[in-house]
Amino acid sequence: MPSSIGVGRILGIRVDIHFSLFLVVAFLSWSLATGFLPGRYPHWSTATYWSTGFVCALSLFVSVLLHEFAHSLVAIRRGYRVEGTTLFLLGGVSSIASESRRATGDFVISVVGPLSSLAIAAIIGIVAVASGGSSPVYAAIEYVAIINLLLGLFNLLPAFPLDGGRVLRAAIWAVTGSFRRASGISTRSGQVLGLLLVGFGVYQVIQGHALQGIWVALVGWFLNRAASASRSQDEVARALERVTVGDVMDASPPTVSRDLTIHEAVFDHFVRGAVRAVIVCEGERILGILSITDVRKVPQAFWADKPVRDIMTPAPLKSL
Ligand SMILES: [Zn+2]
């Protein structure tokens, strides 16, 4: 995701933070320090409101991180590839991929995030009830419990791309055997729920809860857009399903001799011929392929002297 900064690897998983997150932490600290906390605990100092508000806002993102880690760690155990986790405006996204996905794997990976949030909520909730009181520490513990409860419940909504929508997709996939049908139903559900949330947000604004209403509407709008984007992707994938490599390949690609210099290959073929790769031959025999990627590895000063055979990707090329 662009405009994010990497904060390194935690348990082997790359974690990035999108800049929108800093805005949220600032906004949340402010709204807790000036609204929620003074309303609930009227006798603290301003500094206590702000420091508690800040700790609560940060704890939201630690909670989101734990939620995402639950997804990622289970995914890794099931042999899925985890690229990393990005925290942003509305929470977190983990990039998880696999060549051989299965309904059960998808189901478990999706459901474990919300279940971990609910488990954290239960444990911290018990601690909060047991300790009781009205100290800043208690307020923070209570807030963490509530936020994890909401995180778990919200993500269980059966609307793609929320976790609940993924769980729904995996379940329908397992029952019907059709991933396409499962994806169609769960993304449609995401679109509809997104619109309902926008409607509910507008209703809240009309009722005088402007800030809350705008936030709910924004979340709904993002959900609707993400579900729609997913549907378009499905359509493209469906359209490409019947296209074979043979349909789109170049049956007579440009070829060059092994002794041609890199300079000549670049200017005669890549620049003038507007191709991104050429086949390197010796007579009828294919020796390898020279691509722009190969050329990029060599400083331009050497292009005039080096023959393409020195830097080409040699045969045997990986075949499909
Ligand atoms: Zn999740």
Side-chain angles (χ1 to χ4, degrees):
M1 197 178 275
S3 30
S4 31
I5 50 163
V7 290
R9 289 180 171 273
I10 304 174
L11 296 176
I13 298 162
R14 207 190 65 235
V15 178
D16 290 308
I17 290 184
H18 190 258
F19 288 121
S20 60
L21 192 71
F22 297 108
L23 276 179
V24 176
V25 170
F27 171 75
L28 203 59
S29 308
W30 168 77
S31 77
L32 287 166
T34 58
F36 178 76
L37 291 171
R40 219 170 141 75
Y41 307 98
H43 303 299
W44 295 356
S45 68
T46 309
T48 311
Y49 287 133
W50 277 96
S51 50
T52 311
F54 182 66
V55 168
C56 289
L58 277 189
S59 74
L60 168 64
F61 289 99
V62 173
S63 304
V64 171
L65 197 59
L66 291 175
H67 173 110
E68 292 304 322
F69 265 63
H71 288 306
S72 297
L73 292 175
V74 171
I76 290 170
R77 278 190 68 139
R78 291 198 151 250
Y80 284 58
R81 204 173 58 248
V82 176
E83 314 279 355
T85 288
T86 304
L87 298 183
F88 76 120
L89 187 68
L90 298 176
V93 273
S94 296
S95 321
I96 296 171
S98 171
E99 275 76 45
S100 55
R101 294 173 49 193
R102 298 176 64 152
T104 42
D106 273 22
F107 186 93
V108 176
I109 293 167
S110 308
V111 85
V112 75
L115 289 188
S116 337
S117 298
L118 292 180
I120 294 172
I123 295 166
I124 308 249
I126 291 169
V127 173
V129 170
S131 60
S134 60
S135 69
V137 174
Y138 170 79
I141 292 175
E142 185 193 49
Y143 182 80
V144 173
I146 293 171
I147 218 69
N148 275 283
L149 180 67
L150 293 177
L151 202 59
L153 292 180
F154 177 72
N155 275 293
L156 276 179
L157 290 173
F160 193 89
L162 296 180
D163 295 329
R166 293 171 195 274
V167 170
L168 178 71
R169 183 178 70 178
I172 299 174
W173 182 14
V175 172
T176 64
S178 164
F179 179 81
R180 182 185 298 178
R181 201 158 148 212
S183 186
I185 296 171
S186 57
T187 50
R188 179 66 82 202
S189 160
Q191 285 180 314
V192 171
L193 192 89
L195 288 181
L196 285 176
L197 282 176
V198 171
F200 181 58
V202 171
Y203 170 77
Q204 281 184 308
V205 172
I206 295 168
Q207 293 291 308
H209 307 291
L211 215 55
Q212 207 175 319
I214 290 169
W215 188 248
V216 170
L218 201 65
V219 170
W221 186 77
F222 268 100
L223 184 58
N224 176 276
R225 292 328 304 154
S228 302
S230 216
R231 287 184 78 83
S232 323
Q233 266 174 26
D234 284 354
E235 271 159 36
V236 172
R238 209 166 303 154
L240 287 178
E241 230 166 45
R242 281 185 217 97
V243 179
T244 64
V245 175
D247 292 337
V248 291
M249 74 174 190
D250 185 353
S252 50
T255 57
V256 298
S257 145
R258 62 203 286 266
D259 300 317
L260 197 74
T261 63
I262 301 173
H263 180 89
E264 287 169 310
V266 168
F267 288 96
D268 293 351
H269 293 278
F270 294 164
V271 177
R272 240 168 271 153
V275 293
R276 300 184 63 85
V278 288
I279 306 291
V280 183
C281 294
E282 187 182 32
E284 289 282 285
R285 203 157 65 90
I286 294 176
L287 299 176
I289 188 167
L290 178 79
S291 68
I292 290 180
T293 315
D294 296 323
V295 171
R296 280 210 189 106
K297 291 174 194 154
V298 183
Q300 202 169 348
F302 300 111
W303 287 6
D305 305 318
K306 257 191 186 313
V308 296
R309 63 169 183 270
D310 286 1
I311 63 156
M312 68 181 186
T313 303
L317 299 166
K318 197 176 174 189
S319 57
L320 292 169

